Amino acid sequence: MAEIILTGDRPTGKLHLGHYVGSLRQRVVLQNSGDFDDIFIMIADSQALTDNADNPEKIRTNIIEVALDYLSVGIDPDKSNILIQSQIPALSELSSYYMNLVTVARLQRNPTVKAEVEMRGFQSNVPVGFFTYPISQAADITAFKATVVPTGEDQEPMIEQTREIVRKFNQIYGEVLVEPKILLSDNKVCKRLPGTDGKAKMSKSLGNGIYLSDDSETLKQKVMSMYTDPDHIRVEDPGKIEGNTVFTYLDAFCVSEDFPDFLPDYGCLDDLKEHYKKGGLGDVKIKKFLIKVLERELTPIRERRSRFEKDIASVYDILKTGTDAANRVADATLSEAKAAMKINYFDDTALIKSQQEMYNN
Ligand code: ATP
Ligand code: MG
């Protein structure tokens, strides 16, 4: 069976370090592994509109930001198709059929939807489109017959929902759709990177992010004001590692060369943690170290971004090419699904013939 990747992001803002460690970094590794037959990376503008219907300009302007972020981290349009969700009509059509296979109660139980409804303060005013976005997401994944979806942990309930829809569809209509597997980072903190405020998840909507496109000065300011251990007041106080965002980010980003290069008094991250726990290590020192670690990772990303920023037309060409390729695949799956559902009246010559025979007799 072909190995296919589908993954994506909402164009609600620029991409941040949470996206990077949760999904982007892995996508690039998978892309370059050569183990996949096809890769689809989707800018999920229709999904973004489900909770931003009154702000289309925000979605429009962020398409290019997300595309630039993709290219800057090393997504290669020769190896991966970058596509715009709203330009793939088959996705909406598939969603509408999948809606018949899911109950309202099941959607209400979806923990990610629950958490996001609460975070957005929707209370009882949840837009229907937002409420049903797990179903559209199933359409996105299955349209490309994706086998692997690299994403952050918050998407786990979505993939489970997709798998249920696939099983139900195949059971009723026959084996057409493919059940995807989620691919999470094997680094625990990368599955759900907290925000700079220490909050559960770095998120565009919470404004607690460090963006891939932040310049050095902004990065420095954000790190210097990051949440650490509120009880670690004087340098000599013992400090906590658990819930200390600076250490969480070091867990996500630090590589062994960072110590000889930037902090040679320590052999590894565990040594640094031990010293912090014992007392005698100040927040400023660990923050300055984190800045260097992040700078090393982000500098080449910023450089690539600035090259692509000089030719926006070519970025749109990349999006158009990726979207065209995606349409071909999604249309083929839709045709297969419609044939299985017996709603392919005009393509089915046997139908007319058999009905004619019925009337002839
Ligand atoms: P929004 O607030 O608009 O929902 P977001 O920051 O949650 O934006 P999405 O576009 O919803 O970003 O998520 C895109 C991908 O990035 C998903 O695979 C998601 O799991 C992953 N992701 C987002 N935030 C994090 C995070 N803090 N840690 C790890 N992965 C993340
Ligand atoms: Mg999100």
Side-chain angles (χ1 to χ4, degrees):
M1 193 176 65
E3 287 291 344
I4 296 168
I5 293 179
L6 177 284
T7 172
D9 306 88
R10 294 152 41 93
T12 47
K14 296 177 171 189
L15 299 184
H16 52 57
L17 296 183
H19 301 116
Y20 184 66
V21 296
S23 176
L24 286 178
R25 187 161 65 176
Q26 202 163 16
R27 288 180 208 174
V28 177
V29 173
L30 297 173
Q31 166 196 274
N32 296 336
S33 72
D35 292 343
F36 291 87
D37 298 285
D38 229 342
I39 301 178
F40 297 93
I41 302 185
M42 187 177 76
I43 304 182
D45 61 337
S46 311
Q47 190 192 114
L49 282 166
T50 64
D51 56 332
N52 289 280
D54 55 352
N55 202 352
E57 196 52 36
K58 170 175 158 189
I59 308 307
R60 186 182 177 82
T61 50
N62 278 307
I63 299 263
I64 191 71
E65 297 297 344
V66 172
L68 286 166
D69 285 330
Y70 285 167
L71 296 166
S72 70
V73 298
I75 300 290
D76 175 354
D78 289 334
K79 297 179 181 157
S80 302
N81 302 293
I82 306 178
L83 56 124
I84 304 182
Q85 185 186 28
S86 63
Q87 307 305 303
I88 317 282
L91 300 178
S92 320
E93 220 177 313
L94 280 174
S95 298
S96 70
Y97 298 126
Y98 295 172
M99 285 191 185
N100 305 331
L101 307 178
V102 180
T103 64
V104 172
R106 174 65 181 88
L107 282 178
Q108 278 167 336
R109 278 201 310 274
N110 186 310
T112 305
V113 175
K114 265 195 200 163
E116 290 184 337
V117 162
E118 193 171 320
M119 189 181 104
R120 286 163 175 75
F122 280 149
Q123 277 103 18
S124 56
N125 300 317
V126 189
V128 174
F130 185 83
F131 180 62
T132 57
Y133 94 74
I135 301 178
S136 322
Q137 218 161 298
D140 303 336
I141 296 169
T142 55
F144 301 102
K145 300 202 171 167
T147 49
V148 176
V149 185
T151 129
E153 194 178 47
D154 61 309
Q155 294 301 306
E156 228 164 358
M158 301 300 166
I159 310 299
E160 194 40 48
Q161 179 95 67
T162 300
R163 292 165 63 86
E164 280 173 35
I165 291 174
V166 169
R167 287 197 289 267
K168 189 132 194 203
F169 186 101
N170 288 352
Q171 178 208 333
I172 301 173
Y173 305 115
E175 287 288 321
V176 172
L177 305 179
V178 177
E179 262 189 69
K181 283 191 296 285
I182 188 167
L183 186 67
L184 294 168
S185 166
D186 38 21
N187 182 337
K188 188 168 165 277
V189 301
C190 295
K191 293 177 188 172
R192 189 181 294 249
L193 194 76
T196 49
D197 54 358
K199 289 245 172 66
K201 175 177 171 286
M202 184 181 286
S203 164
K204 292 180 226 119
S205 307
L206 292 175
N208 59 2
I210 294 178
Y211 293 90
L212 293 171
S213 49
D214 279 347
D215 60 23
S216 297
E217 195 43 45
T218 310
L219 173 78
K220 191 167 149 200
Q221 280 168 15
K222 287 185 178 175
V223 173
M224 292 315 284
S225 57
M226 249 163 81
Y227 181 85
T228 55
D229 169 6
D231 300 323
H232 184 248
I233 297 160
R234 290 164 308 168
V235 172
E236 56 273 25
D237 291 340
K240 273 200 293 291
I241 305 294
E242 192 82 346
N244 184 322
T245 320
V246 174
F247 280 102
T248 309
Y249 286 22
L250 287 174
D251 277 329
F253 287 96
C254 201
V255 292
S256 54
E257 305 89 80
D258 290 331
F259 286 94
D261 291 350
F262 305 137
L263 208 59
D265 292 347
Y266 300 85
C268 65
L269 191 50
D270 283 339
D271 292 353
L272 193 70
K273 286 180 181 171
E274 277 316 306
H275 191 183
Y276 192 82
K277 281 198 272 194
K278 214 165 64 203
L281 176 59
D283 282 353
V284 171
K285 190 162 178 176
I286 55 166
K287 284 179 170 175
K288 284 192 166 157
F289 176 54
L290 176 61
I291 291 169
K292 290 191 178 131
V293 170
L294 291 176
E295 276 294 327
R296 166 134 79 189
E297 188 95 23
L298 293 181
T299 304
I301 295 177
R302 287 190 201 118
E303 282 168 5
R304 263 198 300 266
R305 195 183 215 274
S306 74
R307 283 204 300 279
F308 283 107
E309 282 173 354
K310 292 192 177 70
D311 192 358
I312 295 300
S314 80
V315 179
Y316 274 99
D317 282 343
I318 290 170
L319 296 177
K320 175 79 171 58
T321 307
T323 301
D324 288 346
N327 261 317
R328 288 190 287 276
V329 177
D331 282 343
T333 306
L334 177 65
S335 294
E336 252 187 277
K338 286 172 83 170
M341 293 173 70
K342 303 205 173 298
I343 51 174
N344 59 336
Y345 316 107
F346 304 130
D347 304 334
D348 186 359
T349 45
L351 170 77
I352 299 172
K353 203 163 156 245
S354 69
Q355 289 187 344
Q356 187 61 65
E357 275 163 13
M358 188 182 78
Y359 281 106
N360 290 346
N361 293 327

